[in-house]
Amino acid sequence: GHFTNGQVAESVYNYDETKVGTYKLPNPLINASGKAIKTRAEWATRRIELLQLFAENVYGKTPKQTVRLRFQTTSVDSSALNGLAIRKLISIKFVDYPKLPSIDVLLYVPKGRKAAPVFLGLNFCGNHCVTTEADLPLSTRWMMSGTGDVSVNNKATEKARGMQERRWPISMILKRGYAVATAYYGDLEPDYPEGWHAGIRSVLGDTTRADNWGAIGAWAWGMSRILDYLQTDPAIDAKRVISIGHSRIGKAALWAGAQDDRFAAVIANESGEGGAALSRRWYGETVERLNISFPHWFCERYKTYNKRVDDLPVDQHELLALVAPRPLYVASADGDQWSDPKGEFLGAAYTTPVYALYGKVGLGTTTFPAVNQPIGQTVRYHDRTGKHDVMNYDWEQYLRFADELVR
Ligand code: GTR
């Protein structure tokens, strides 16, 4: 990112468990007027209230208007990745906003499988960066500067090809019968404070409002537009589209899955603060630090909570609860204390009463597990050893989770 840890005062992050202190979380099953929620019907109303509270105070309001899309398939390779997959490139164009960049989708479908379930996740550095296939065009969009000339003057170079291939074990996923759909998150909005001028937020929303959507909202919205496309593709089982994302894109995957219940399941890999981690738990990154480092990610009003997170009308376990009764996977890494593994775990654990309304066991425990020990039922969690990253270990768990709960 643009900012490295330690640039601002220490008070905005904490790595000392003894300093976490006490906090009182809002109860997902007590509504804004203090009424206890006891039935699924009451939850349906409470759910709308929570979505609104997250929109007004955290992510900003997602514009509701229907945007006319045109799906243009620009390339089909019927024998990609050594014959494992059909590879399609689809540009999602905005009919009414011809100057906006398209969302350029890279889709791999396992060959010989009808109506494949699919993992849908945005990527950090262009489709060319999730695979080494040489014929895939380099994204021409604004790219963050990186080490080793992977971008020059904010444009991708050939050196970026395959750069995040390890995070996307596409062949392994295809062999398990799943399709993979991805697009560059910068197609929706380049990730820097003024980036919105070049993205969807330049034409939708209202920048004068304290609850105008932020970049995370734009990325989440883009995931739903890709889902719109997937619903039209007979090679895909549109009832089995899994929203997945890592880190900031994991925050977006959660917000997408919370708002759009066409997503069959949600996976948040090390989504951290503003994602799966509890905001009131003062550990790792804080709301204040997040808003200082990334002023464009959330709505303006979120900043007013920088020094008073206890006043937030919601906390992140309630975001996770919005996924119920659908399967949810929250994952951490023990080398990624910035994301607050324990705060992510507790976020997942505190969805339990909402899953129970549907007769489902969520995580089924409030005891933090040992490393590399996946736990849970409809809600699952693991704390992998190692760094802030997406590893095969993570994917192995996600594939098993999908095999058991999404197919
Ligand atoms: C960090 C940020 C985290 C997380 C991460 C990422 O700098 O503080 O909240 O989003 O970036 O996206 O890799």
Side-chain angles (χ1 to χ4, degrees):
H2 285 305
F3 302 86
T4 50
N5 302 355
Q7 247 180 311
V8 288
E10 264 185 46
S11 61
V12 297
Y13 69 92
N14 169 45
Y15 283 144
D16 184 350
E17 191 64 48
T18 67
K19 286 188 188 158
V20 167
T22 54
Y23 52 89
K24 193 174 178 307
L25 292 173
N27 185 336
L29 294 187
I30 295 182
N31 75 10
S33 28
K35 187 180 174 300
I37 304 304
K38 296 207 174 70
T39 65
R40 290 178 203 176
E42 288 168 350
W43 169 251
T45 309
R46 168 65 171 154
R47 202 179 170 279
I48 292 164
E49 180 179 70
L50 280 171
L51 278 168
Q52 203 171 326
L53 289 170
F54 276 104
E56 286 168 356
N57 298 284
V58 183
Y59 302 102
K61 284 188 178 160
T62 306
K64 287 281 178 281
Q65 64 256 53
T66 309
V67 170
R68 290 195 293 157
L69 306 176
R70 190 157 63 85
F71 305 132
Q72 191 184 334
T73 303
T74 58
S75 143
V76 180
D77 178 349
S78 55
S79 196
L81 301 173
N82 299 317
L84 209 57
I86 298 164
R87 189 191 76 188
K88 288 189 204 175
L89 304 182
I90 306 103
S91 285
I92 302 179
K93 298 195 161 161
F94 302 106
V95 178
D96 301 311
Y97 312 108
K99 286 191 183 133
L100 274 189
S102 51
I103 309 173
D104 295 335
V105 180
L106 168 63
L107 174 65
Y108 292 98
V109 182
K111 242 174 139 171
R113 207 202 134 106
K114 283 210 171 68
V118 55
F119 288 93
L120 163 57
L122 300 175
N123 63 66
F124 277 90
C125 44
N127 295 337
H128 59 269
C129 129
V130 308
T131 169
T132 52
E133 289 171 292
D135 64 325
L136 199 71
L138 287 184
S139 172
T140 58
R141 304 276 152 74
W142 180 93
M143 294 288 158
M144 204 162 289
S145 33
T147 43
D149 292 339
V150 291
S151 66
V152 169
N153 299 325
N154 298 111
K155 294 287 174 201
T157 70
E158 272 300 327
K159 291 193 176 147
R161 195 178 290 286
M163 183 172 122
Q164 293 199 334
E165 192 194 20
R166 192 182 41 68
R167 284 188 180 180
W168 294 85
I170 295 165
S171 297
M172 164 173 143
I173 301 165
L174 288 164
K175 283 179 190 155
R176 294 281 289 265
Y178 294 87
V180 177
T182 188
Y184 174 46
Y185 79 140
D187 287 357
L188 281 312
E189 174 166 336
D191 190 3
Y192 62 95
E194 295 305 319
W196 65 273
H197 289 289
I200 189 68
R201 287 201 295 141
S202 67
V203 296
L204 295 184
D206 180 350
T207 51
T208 67
R209 291 181 62 101
D211 61 1
N212 189 43
W213 57 337
I216 288 173
W219 301 325
W221 181 89
M223 293 187 70
S224 286
R225 301 294 73 79
I226 299 172
L227 177 47
D228 292 342
Y229 164 75
L230 293 172
Q231 288 190 311
T232 70
D233 190 328
I236 295 298
D237 181 348
K239 294 226 176 317
R240 289 181 173 76
V241 180
I242 303 166
S243 166
I244 185 168
H246 169 61
S247 206
R248 67 196 67 187
I249 293 173
K251 304 180 213 292
L254 280 170
W255 182 226
Q259 295 177 92
D260 188 341
D261 62 13
R262 295 175 301 166
F263 286 107
V266 180
I267 301 172
N269 191 84
E270 296 151 40
S271 57
E273 194 73 21
L278 295 175
S279 305
R280 280 168 177 74
R281 211 183 100 81
W282 189 55
Y283 190 91
E285 190 174 30
T286 58
V287 169
E288 182 178 14
R289 177 55 196 267
L290 192 57
N291 280 324
I292 292 171
S293 306
F294 307 103
H296 55 298
W297 281 4
F298 298 87
C299 73
E300 280 303 306
R301 184 169 294 130
Y302 196 42
K303 294 174 184 161
T304 67
Y305 295 100
N306 280 357
K307 296 193 189 300
R308 49 177 197 109
V309 281
D310 290 327
D311 292 341
L312 272 166
V314 289
D315 209 312
Q316 298 303 112
H317 62 304
E318 295 175 301
L319 177 77
L320 301 180
L322 292 172
V323 176
R326 295 164 292 158
L328 168 69
Y329 207 121
V330 171
S332 312
D334 75 340
D336 178 22
Q337 293 296 310
W338 187 243
S339 293
D340 186 11
K342 193 167 171 208
E344 296 189 307
F345 164 79
L346 290 172
Y350 295 148
T351 63
T352 295
V354 179
Y355 280 86
L357 278 181
Y358 291 89
K360 290 187 187 278
V361 178
L363 200 55
T365 176
T366 49
T367 307
F368 190 67
V371 289
N372 304 327
Q373 199 65 247
I375 52 163
Q377 297 197 27
T378 308
V379 178
R380 298 196 181 178
Y381 176 85
H382 71 247
D383 185 26
R384 171 178 54 68
T385 44
K387 286 192 303 186
H388 183 64
D389 205 343
V390 191
M391 308 296 289
N392 275 3
Y393 177 87
D394 301 310
W395 274 107
E396 280 156 18
Q397 312 318 314
Y398 302 153
L399 286 163
R400 180 168 354 122
F401 162 79
D403 283 353
E404 291 176 11
L405 299 176
V406 188
R407 310 176 69 166

